[in-house]
PDB file of all heavy atoms in Angstrom:
ATOM      1  N   ILE A 232      -9.410  64.193  68.624  1.00 98.00           N
ATOM      2  CA  ILE A 232     -10.388  64.228  69.723  1.00 98.00           C
ATOM      3  C   ILE A 232     -11.812  64.335  69.151  1.00 98.00           C
ATOM      4  O   ILE A 232     -12.691  63.513  69.440  1.00 98.00           O
ATOM      5  CB  ILE A 232     -10.073  65.406  70.671  1.00 98.00           C
ATOM      6  CG1 ILE A 232      -8.731  65.154  71.368  1.00 98.00           C
ATOM      7  CG2 ILE A 232     -11.203  65.629  71.676  1.00 98.00           C
ATOM      8  CD1 ILE A 232      -8.149  66.365  72.105  1.00 98.00           C
ATOM      9  N   ASN A 233     -12.029  65.329  68.298  1.00 98.00           N
ATOM     10  CA  ASN A 233     -13.385  65.583  67.801  1.00 98.00           C
ATOM     11  C   ASN A 233     -13.877  64.493  66.854  1.00 98.00           C
ATOM     12  O   ASN A 233     -15.039  64.097  66.879  1.00 98.00           O
ATOM     13  CB  ASN A 233     -13.445  66.937  67.096  1.00 98.00           C
ATOM     14  CG  ASN A 233     -13.259  68.076  68.078  1.00 98.00           C
ATOM     15  OD1 ASN A 233     -13.478  67.905  69.275  1.00 98.00           O
ATOM     16  ND2 ASN A 233     -12.834  69.230  67.589  1.00 98.00           N
ATOM     17  N   GLU A 234     -12.966  64.020  66.003  1.00 98.00           N
ATOM     18  CA  GLU A 234     -13.391  63.010  65.024  1.00 98.00           C
ATOM     19  C   GLU A 234     -13.687  61.675  65.707  1.00 98.00           C
ATOM     20  O   GLU A 234     -14.618  60.972  65.336  1.00 98.00           O
ATOM     21  CB  GLU A 234     -12.320  62.851  63.936  1.00 98.00           C
ATOM     22  CG  GLU A 234     -12.181  64.094  63.075  1.00 98.00           C
ATOM     23  CD  GLU A 234     -11.103  63.968  61.997  1.00 98.00           C
ATOM     24  OE1 GLU A 234     -10.757  62.838  61.616  1.00 98.00           O
ATOM     25  OE2 GLU A 234     -10.605  65.013  61.549  1.00 98.00           O
ATOM     26  N   THR A 235     -12.898  61.327  66.722  1.00 98.00           N
ATOM     27  CA  THR A 235     -13.176  60.079  67.454  1.00 98.00           C
ATOM     28  C   THR A 235     -14.560  60.157  68.082  1.00 98.00           C
ATOM     29  O   THR A 235     -15.352  59.210  68.013  1.00 98.00           O
ATOM     30  CB  THR A 235     -12.108  59.855  68.554  1.00 98.00           C
ATOM     31  OG1 THR A 235     -10.836  59.761  67.936  1.00 98.00           O
ATOM     32  CG2 THR A 235     -12.385  58.578  69.338  1.00 98.00           C
ATOM     33  N   ARG A 236     -14.866  61.289  68.697  1.00 98.00           N
ATOM     34  CA  ARG A 236     -16.188  61.455  69.330  1.00 98.00           C
ATOM     35  C   ARG A 236     -17.311  61.302  68.293  1.00 98.00           C
ATOM     36  O   ARG A 236     -18.316  60.642  68.547  1.00 98.00           O
ATOM     37  CB  ARG A 236     -16.292  62.833  69.986  1.00 98.00           C
ATOM     38  CG  ARG A 236     -15.456  62.947  71.247  1.00 98.00           C
ATOM     39  CD  ARG A 236     -15.533  64.358  71.774  1.00 98.00           C
ATOM     40  NE  ARG A 236     -14.836  64.496  73.037  1.00 98.00           N
ATOM     41  CZ  ARG A 236     -14.282  65.617  73.468  1.00 98.00           C
ATOM     42  NH1 ARG A 236     -14.337  66.719  72.736  1.00 98.00           N
ATOM     43  NH2 ARG A 236     -13.675  65.666  74.639  1.00 98.00           N
ATOM     44  N   LYS A 237     -17.120  61.925  67.120  1.00 98.00           N
ATOM     45  CA  LYS A 237     -18.173  61.868  66.098  1.00 98.00           C
ATOM     46  C   LYS A 237     -18.338  60.439  65.565  1.00 98.00           C
ATOM     47  O   LYS A 237     -19.457  59.945  65.439  1.00 98.00           O
ATOM     48  CB  LYS A 237     -17.845  62.842  64.956  1.00 98.00           C
ATOM     49  CG  LYS A 237     -18.880  62.837  63.832  1.00 98.00           C
ATOM     50  CD  LYS A 237     -18.731  64.003  62.864  1.00 98.00           C
ATOM     51  CE  LYS A 237     -19.696  63.879  61.693  1.00 98.00           C
ATOM     52  NZ  LYS A 237     -19.663  65.016  60.779  1.00 98.00           N
ATOM     53  N   ILE A 238     -17.229  59.775  65.276  1.00 98.00           N
ATOM     54  CA  ILE A 238     -17.323  58.434  64.668  1.00 98.00           C
ATOM     55  C   ILE A 238     -17.873  57.417  65.671  1.00 98.00           C
ATOM     56  O   ILE A 238     -18.692  56.571  65.324  1.00 98.00           O
ATOM     57  CB  ILE A 238     -15.939  57.981  64.137  1.00 98.00           C
ATOM     58  CG1 ILE A 238     -15.487  58.915  63.014  1.00 98.00           C
ATOM     59  CG2 ILE A 238     -15.982  56.539  63.641  1.00 98.00           C
ATOM     60  CD1 ILE A 238     -14.011  58.801  62.675  1.00 98.00           C
ATOM     61  N   LEU A 239     -17.436  57.506  66.920  1.00 98.00           N
ATOM     62  CA  LEU A 239     -17.939  56.559  67.933  1.00 98.00           C
ATOM     63  C   LEU A 239     -19.314  56.959  68.470  1.00 98.00           C
ATOM     64  O   LEU A 239     -19.889  56.271  69.307  1.00 98.00           O
ATOM     65  CB  LEU A 239     -16.947  56.445  69.103  1.00 98.00           C
ATOM     66  CG  LEU A 239     -15.570  55.837  68.801  1.00 98.00           C
ATOM     67  CD1 LEU A 239     -14.736  55.762  70.074  1.00 98.00           C
ATOM     68  CD2 LEU A 239     -15.684  54.456  68.163  1.00 98.00           C
ATOM     69  N   LYS A 240     -19.819  58.098  68.012  1.00 98.00           N
ATOM     70  CA  LYS A 240     -21.117  58.623  68.483  1.00 98.00           C
ATOM     71  C   LYS A 240     -21.103  58.786  70.003  1.00 98.00           C
ATOM     72  O   LYS A 240     -22.050  58.402  70.699  1.00 98.00           O
ATOM     73  CB  LYS A 240     -22.260  57.720  68.032  1.00 98.00           C
ATOM     74  CG  LYS A 240     -22.356  57.612  66.523  1.00 98.00           C
ATOM     75  CD  LYS A 240     -23.451  56.672  66.070  1.00 98.00           C
ATOM     76  CE  LYS A 240     -23.393  56.513  64.574  1.00 98.00           C
ATOM     77  NZ  LYS A 240     -23.531  55.222  64.047  1.00 98.00           N
ATOM     78  N   ARG A 241     -20.002  59.322  70.498  1.00 98.00           N
ATOM     79  CA  ARG A 241     -19.838  59.569  71.940  1.00 98.00           C
ATOM     80  C   ARG A 241     -19.420  61.047  72.095  1.00 98.00           C
ATOM     81  O   ARG A 241     -18.253  61.336  72.382  1.00 98.00           O
ATOM     82  CB  ARG A 241     -18.752  58.650  72.513  1.00 98.00           C
ATOM     83  CG  ARG A 241     -18.995  57.134  72.389  1.00 98.00           C
ATOM     84  CD  ARG A 241     -19.985  56.631  73.424  1.00 98.00           C
ATOM     85  NE  ARG A 241     -19.663  57.115  74.757  1.00 98.00           N
ATOM     86  CZ  ARG A 241     -18.749  56.559  75.584  1.00 98.00           C
ATOM     87  NH1 ARG A 241     -18.110  55.470  75.230  1.00 98.00           N
ATOM     88  NH2 ARG A 241     -18.508  57.066  76.761  1.00 98.00           N
ATOM     89  N   PRO A 242     -20.363  62.000  71.882  1.00 98.00           N
ATOM     90  CA  PRO A 242     -19.984  63.411  71.796  1.00 98.00           C
ATOM     91  C   PRO A 242     -19.303  63.985  73.032  1.00 98.00           C
ATOM     92  O   PRO A 242     -18.598  64.984  72.919  1.00 98.00           O
ATOM     93  CB  PRO A 242     -21.313  64.126  71.526  1.00 98.00           C
ATOM     94  CG  PRO A 242     -22.381  63.135  71.823  1.00 98.00           C
ATOM     95  CD  PRO A 242     -21.802  61.774  71.654  1.00 98.00           C
ATOM     96  N   ASN A 243     -19.497  63.358  74.187  1.00 98.00           N
ATOM     97  CA  ASN A 243     -18.893  63.911  75.406  1.00 98.00           C
ATOM     98  C   ASN A 243     -17.752  63.064  75.948  1.00 98.00           C
ATOM     99  O   ASN A 243     -17.324  63.254  77.092  1.00 98.00           O
ATOM    100  CB  ASN A 243     -19.967  64.064  76.490  1.00 98.00           C
ATOM    101  CG  ASN A 243     -21.075  64.975  76.014  1.00 98.00           C
ATOM    102  OD1 ASN A 243     -20.805  66.048  75.473  1.00 98.00           O
ATOM    103  ND2 ASN A 243     -22.315  64.536  76.150  1.00 98.00           N
ATOM    104  N   LEU A 244     -17.260  62.124  75.149  1.00 98.00           N
ATOM    105  CA  LEU A 244     -16.220  61.205  75.650  1.00 98.00           C
ATOM    106  C   LEU A 244     -14.941  61.979  76.005  1.00 98.00           C
ATOM    107  O   LEU A 244     -14.417  62.731  75.177  1.00 98.00           O
ATOM    108  CB  LEU A 244     -15.922  60.162  74.560  1.00 98.00           C
ATOM    109  CG  LEU A 244     -14.952  59.049  74.917  1.00 98.00           C
ATOM    110  CD1 LEU A 244     -15.481  58.209  76.076  1.00 98.00           C
ATOM    111  CD2 LEU A 244     -14.720  58.144  73.704  1.00 98.00           C
ATOM    112  N   PRO A 245     -14.430  61.825  77.228  1.00 98.00           N
ATOM    113  CA  PRO A 245     -13.165  62.495  77.564  1.00 98.00           C
ATOM    114  C   PRO A 245     -11.994  61.876  76.785  1.00 98.00           C
ATOM    115  O   PRO A 245     -11.755  60.666  76.854  1.00 98.00           O
ATOM    116  CB  PRO A 245     -13.007  62.234  79.068  1.00 98.00           C
ATOM    117  CG  PRO A 245     -14.381  61.867  79.547  1.00 98.00           C
ATOM    118  CD  PRO A 245     -15.017  61.161  78.399  1.00 98.00           C
ATOM    119  N   ILE A 246     -11.329  62.724  76.016  1.00 99.00           N
ATOM    120  CA  ILE A 246     -10.189  62.270  75.196  1.00 99.00           C
ATOM    121  C   ILE A 246      -9.115  63.348  75.255  1.00 99.00           C
ATOM    122  O   ILE A 246      -9.430  64.547  75.194  1.00 99.00           O
ATOM    123  CB  ILE A 246     -10.573  62.090  73.704  1.00 99.00           C
ATOM    124  CG1 ILE A 246     -11.810  61.194  73.554  1.00 99.00           C
ATOM    125  CG2 ILE A 246      -9.398  61.499  72.910  1.00 99.00           C
ATOM    126  CD1 ILE A 246     -12.309  61.069  72.113  1.00 99.00           C
ATOM    127  N   THR A 247      -7.855  62.945  75.338  1.00 99.00           N
ATOM    128  CA  THR A 247      -6.771  63.902  75.164  1.00 99.00           C
ATOM    129  C   THR A 247      -5.738  63.309  74.210  1.00 99.00           C
ATOM    130  O   THR A 247      -5.731  62.092  73.977  1.00 99.00           O
ATOM    131  CB  THR A 247      -6.160  64.317  76.520  1.00 99.00           C
ATOM    132  OG1 THR A 247      -5.317  65.452  76.307  1.00 99.00           O
ATOM    133  CG2 THR A 247      -5.361  63.209  77.159  1.00 99.00           C
ATOM    134  N   ALA A 248      -4.904  64.176  73.622  1.00 98.00           N
ATOM    135  CA  ALA A 248      -3.994  63.692  72.577  1.00 98.00           C
ATOM    136  C   ALA A 248      -2.718  64.515  72.520  1.00 98.00           C
ATOM    137  O   ALA A 248      -2.745  65.726  72.750  1.00 98.00           O
ATOM    138  CB  ALA A 248      -4.700  63.758  71.221  1.00 98.00           C
ATOM    139  N   THR A 249      -1.609  63.826  72.219  1.00 99.00           N
ATOM    140  CA  THR A 249      -0.355  64.487  71.848  1.00 99.00           C
ATOM    141  C   THR A 249       0.083  63.864  70.526  1.00 99.00           C
ATOM    142  O   THR A 249       0.281  62.645  70.458  1.00 99.00           O
ATOM    143  CB  THR A 249       0.726  64.266  72.929  1.00 99.00           C
ATOM    144  OG1 THR A 249       0.242  64.765  74.168  1.00 99.00           O
ATOM    145  CG2 THR A 249       2.021  64.980  72.552  1.00 99.00           C
ATOM    146  N   ALA A 250       0.186  64.690  69.489  1.00 98.00           N
ATOM    147  CA  ALA A 250       0.529  64.180  68.152  1.00 98.00           C
ATOM    148  C   ALA A 250       1.952  64.601  67.802  1.00 98.00           C
ATOM    149  O   ALA A 250       2.278  65.785  67.863  1.00 98.00           O
ATOM    150  CB  ALA A 250      -0.462  64.711  67.126  1.00 98.00           C
TER     151      ALA A 250
END
Side-chain angles (χ1 to χ4, degrees):
I232 294 168
N233 292 339
E234 293 179 23
T235 300
R236 288 176 175 152
K237 179 167 175 176
I238 296 165
L239 295 182
K240 299 178 186 136
R241 300 282 312 278
N243 301 313
L244 185 62
I246 307 175
T247 192
T249 302

